[in-house]
Amino acid sequence: MNAALRQLRPAILMVIVFSIITGLAYPLAVTGIAQVVFPGKADGSLMRDADGNVIGSEIIGQMFTSDEYFWGRPSAAGDGYDAAASSGSNLGPTSQKLRDQVTERAQTLREAHGLPDDALVPAELVTASGSGLDPHISPESARFQAARVADARGLEEQQVLDLIDDHKEGRVLWLMGEETVNVLKLNIALDELD
């Protein structure tokens, strides 16, 4: 019994010490360093309006349905862009449900843009991203929507196209990925034109 207690005390002490180090000290140190080095990113890359109210995060997509705004990729996360339910739909290319969703989304895009029933639409505007929270679209998908947005806002289409070009984000480290446009940033810039 006495030998067991001698071994049990250091084991319990080590659990307590390592719980404090890994569960408290390390997370606080990393959070503190992040707040100093990357304060905006550490707080979630939040975007604020002119009054300082949070209107979203530049790293999480949002649902835009008005013709006055650019639309992002569809979301498969919960009821749409729910960060707590982030995931893909897990629907594969042979899934009838996926085909039906894509067909419905494509028809909605064609109607909103006044296109014929057989007009091609950008694939990324009818398919959800893997996370369901993608905040970006390609510049081509933004250009596809430019006429609709310009018409709804009473702007010249060239103004909207120039705004898209001004908000293009390049590749990561000039090597990875493709050029993108952050939908929330682009829509904020549209509101600032008014």
Side-chain angles (χ1 to χ4, degrees), residues 35 46 56-57 80 104 116 137:
Q35 286 292 335
L46 300 176
S57 169
E104 180 182 331
I137 58 175

Side-chain angles (χ1 to χ4, degrees), residues 48-53:
R48 300 177 185 277
D49 64 13
D51 298 327
N53 300 315

Side-chain angles (χ1 to χ4, degrees), residues 124 136-140 168-181:
E124 70 182 313
H136 297 92
I137 58 175
S138 67
E140 293 75 28
K168 283 195 277 189
E169 297 176 7
R171 297 171 175 227
V172 177
L173 300 175
W174 304 281
L175 299 170
M176 297 178 284
E178 298 295 327
E179 284 188 329
T180 59
V181 177

Side-chain angles (χ1 to χ4, degrees), residues 85-168:
S86 174
S87 70
S89 67
N90 292 332
L91 300 176
T94 60
S95 169
Q96 185 60 46
K97 183 177 179 182
L98 177 63
R99 277 188 248 136
D100 292 344
Q101 286 177 351
V102 168
T103 301
E104 180 182 331
R105 291 170 182 161
Q107 191 55 38
T108 300
L109 277 174
R110 288 183 189 111
E111 288 172 7
H113 293 86
L115 299 172
D117 289 341
D118 60 348
L120 295 176
V121 296
E124 70 182 313
L125 294 179
V126 295
T127 56
S129 67
S131 69
L133 304 173
D134 195 348
H136 297 92
I137 58 175
S138 67
E140 293 75 28
S141 290
R143 285 187 200 100
F144 174 83
Q145 301 178 64
R148 171 185 52 83
V149 172
D151 186 51
R153 287 184 173 259
L155 299 170
E156 294 293 324
E157 186 174 347
Q158 191 58 49
Q159 276 182 281
V160 176
L161 291 170
D162 291 342
L163 200 61
I164 292 168
D165 289 337
D166 291 344
H167 285 81
K168 283 195 277 189

